[in-house]
Amino acid sequence: MTRTDSRPQTATTTPTTATTKTGTTIAAAPTAPTATRALSRGAVGRARLLGGAVLAGPFFLAAGITQGILREGYDFTRNAFSQLSLGEGGWIQRTVFVLTAALVLAGAAGLRQALRDGPGGTWAPRLVGLFGISCLAAAVFDADPGAGFPAGAPEERVPSMSTEGMLHMLAGMVGYLALCAAFLVLARHFAAAGARGWARGCRIVPAGVLAGFVGSAGSVLAFASGAALGLLWLAAVAARIGRGTPVVTGDRQNHSS
């Protein structure tokens, strides 16, 4: 009598090979588990890049507030965060600009991967990247002193800007205009996915950012509020995209916004 092996057989996922008539060995296509692992690694890498955009705004604001509290003579109602680059200890704020730029540029790369071939997939990452470059420019060109900061600076605002101060201001203007444009592009992405609330937010926030910049002529706090709004909304949309944007097929919405 023939004895049979009753032990359970375990399926293997080792890639197989095939040999042609000419003797050439051809590797088989990757197995399903291998492809799954590759996709998982790609998703983790994309999430880490998007995490840069999530962290950039809170990091910049926390660093600015902390320095404003600790730096002698700094007044939140009269001085902008950019002026923290001046005087003794100014290297800290310049470093903050550089690190913020690195985080934003990483986020732009993550957006490029997440939105590839979809609405907003071309211009949103480019515009966010331009905002990151403007942060680097802000680290290179210092703002002008004034309003009593740093110590020894005139108590009033300087009536005429230096070339370096003008370049700093220009970098900020270009960067935040690019960021506002990126939000408008991302509105298309969210609208196409059926996330109407997020799409609406991406259309409203640029108006708030620009209103803060317009109001900066009369109040530094207005400027700071507009800038903070843009940074925090970037963090919010990057986090939302990192979790996966809702997908709508036909008339049926799979996830609510």
Side-chain angles (χ1 to χ4, degrees), residues 11-154:
T12 62
T13 57
T14 305
T16 59
T17 59
T19 305
T20 64
K21 292 181 179 180
T22 60
T24 303
T25 302
I26 303 174
T31 59
T34 302
T36 300
R37 284 194 297 270
L39 288 173
S40 178
R41 286 194 296 269
V44 170
R46 181 169 63 247
R48 287 176 177 172
L49 289 171
L50 286 169
V54 175
L55 294 174
F59 165 72
F60 181 83
L61 295 173
I65 292 171
T66 302
Q67 291 179 85
I69 293 171
L70 297 178
R71 293 282 299 272
E72 184 179 357
Y74 187 87
D75 186 341
F76 287 98
T77 65
R78 302 180 65 202
N79 303 117
F81 280 171
S82 293
Q83 290 180 295
L84 290 166
S85 296
L86 304 171
E88 186 179 355
W91 65 270
I92 298 175
Q93 181 60 23
R94 287 192 289 273
T95 302
V96 169
F97 274 125
V98 172
L99 293 177
T100 301
L103 291 170
V104 171
L105 290 171
L111 283 174
R112 185 172 182 272
Q113 293 182 17
L115 305 180
R116 183 176 298 169
D117 299 327
T122 298
W123 280 104
R126 291 178 181 178
L127 291 165
V128 171
L130 181 56
F131 176 64
I133 293 172
S134 77
C135 294
L136 281 177
V140 174
F141 305 108
D142 288 338
D144 285 334
F149 190 85

Side-chain angles (χ1 to χ4, degrees), residues 139-243:
V140 174
F141 305 108
D142 288 338
D144 285 334
F149 190 85
E155 287 297 324
E156 301 300 326
R157 291 189 181 185
V158 179
S160 60
M161 298 182 66
S162 67
T163 300
E164 188 173 10
M166 191 174 298
L167 289 173
H168 180 92
M169 185 183 72
L170 181 62
M173 288 176 58
V174 171
Y176 272 94
L177 285 174
L179 184 62
C180 289
F183 291 150
L184 295 175
V185 173
L186 287 171
R188 292 180 50 237
H189 164 74
F190 285 117
R196 290 180 299 230
W198 286 92
R200 192 178 304 113
C202 283
R203 296 187 186 103
I204 294 173
V205 166
V209 173
L210 296 177
F213 276 53
V214 171
S216 64
S219 171
V220 172
L221 289 177
F223 172 81
S225 298
L229 176 62
L231 288 168
L232 294 177
W233 187 250
L234 175 62
V237 296
R240 185 66 187 87
I241 291 171
R243 295 200 309 269

Side-chain angles (χ1 to χ4, degrees), residues 194-198 240 246 253 255-257:
R196 290 180 299 230
W198 286 92
R240 185 66 187 87
Q253 184 168 324
H255 300 285
S256 63
S257 59

